[in-house]
Amino acid sequence: MAGHFEAVPGGGAAVALDEVEVSILRSLTVQLLELIGPGDEPGADADPLAALFAEGPTEPPSDPALRRLFPDAYGDDTEELRAAAADFRRYTENDLRARKREDALAVVRALDGMASEGQEESAVLKLTPDESRAWLGTLNDLRLTIATRLDITEDEESERLYRLPDSDPRKPMVMAYLWLGALQESLVETLMS
């Protein structure tokens, strides 16, 4: 099971992670949270209906990784499509950011729970079906972000990544990208079985 998700009775998934893997996953997820941003948490006296209709940004993010996480809904070939994309973004991006933030926080909390158990070697992390879906979303977001930073645009390019020399400064991120891909694939397979 080490580094490979498996089904658990009653739904969900489990994976054995060692201390280093937990540390890497947590660090990358915290960085993802920082990239996504803190969000606007409504106060206790905030109007929930007003929050539902709060408008978000109309322009795509300037950071290429954020543009990959929050892409335009339509092409930008015409002024009409750009206007439609701006409207779509205005009403959906805040919710999408909130969901990505919630998913990433679920991952951090699960990893922190493993660390608090004080196990030095690999420990088994058991996830409910909902937690599994949150993990799947976060693993995907991590891979998209790393792929953008490494300028990976197609799956065929990952083959060349295996052949990078150890001296290449991108090698640690490439290894993380490939490892996250294997985790994501095993989680998808587990949830589909």
Side-chain angles (χ1 to χ4, degrees), residues 1-2 29 34-35 41 54 61 64 66 86 103 121 133 142 158 170 186-187:
M1 178 189 297
T29 305
E34 290 170 356
L35 179 67
E41 298 299 323
L66 285 173
D103 288 351
E121 297 197 13
R133 284 186 283 282
L142 288 170
S158 64
R170 300 172 295 168
S186 75
L187 183 54

Side-chain angles (χ1 to χ4, degrees), residues 5-23:
F5 281 95
E6 293 181 7
V8 295
V15 63
L17 298 170
D18 65 30
E19 186 179 340
V20 173
E21 292 168 326
V22 169
S23 176

Side-chain angles (χ1 to χ4, degrees), residues 18-119:
D18 65 30
E19 186 179 340
V20 173
E21 292 168 326
V22 169
S23 176
I24 291 169
L25 268 172
R26 188 181 192 292
S27 174
L28 290 172
T29 305
V30 167
Q31 290 176 55
L32 178 66
L33 281 164
E34 290 170 356
L35 179 67
I36 292 170
D40 296 325
E41 298 299 323
D45 59 342
D47 179 4
L49 192 56
L52 181 64
F53 292 103
E55 292 187 7
T58 58
E59 295 295 319
S62 59
D63 184 305
L66 285 173
R67 273 197 313 272
R68 187 95 183 259
L69 294 175
F70 305 105
D72 274 336
Y74 311 103
D76 61 357
D77 299 344
T78 66
E79 189 173 322
E80 184 178 319
L81 287 176
R82 283 189 294 275
D87 282 342
F88 187 81
R89 182 176 298 281
R90 175 183 301 122
Y91 296 112
T92 61
E93 186 171 316
N94 285 345
D95 288 340
L96 184 55
R97 279 182 187 264
R99 196 201 69 207
K100 288 181 181 298
R101 216 176 356 265
E102 288 170 16
D103 288 351
L105 284 171
V107 170
V108 170
R109 287 184 190 113
L111 294 169
D112 285 350
M114 287 182 75
S116 68
E117 293 172 9
Q119 298 180 3

Side-chain angles (χ1 to χ4, degrees), residues 110-168:
L111 294 169
D112 285 350
M114 287 182 75
S116 68
E117 293 172 9
Q119 298 180 3
E120 294 188 20
E121 297 197 13
S122 69
V124 176
L125 173 66
K126 292 182 182 174
L127 303 172
T128 66
D130 287 340
E131 290 169 331
S132 297
R133 284 186 283 282
W135 270 70
L136 191 57
T138 297
L139 289 172
N140 186 61
D141 290 345
L142 288 170
R143 290 193 75 237
L144 287 173
T145 301
I146 292 170
T148 302
R149 298 292 190 233
L150 292 172
D151 201 26
I152 299 170
T153 55
E154 296 183 23
D155 285 336
E156 296 90 44
E157 291 184 29
S158 64
E159 282 301 315
R160 73 176 166 83
L161 298 177
Y162 283 108
R163 295 187 292 273
L164 279 179
D166 289 341
S167 61
D168 192 307

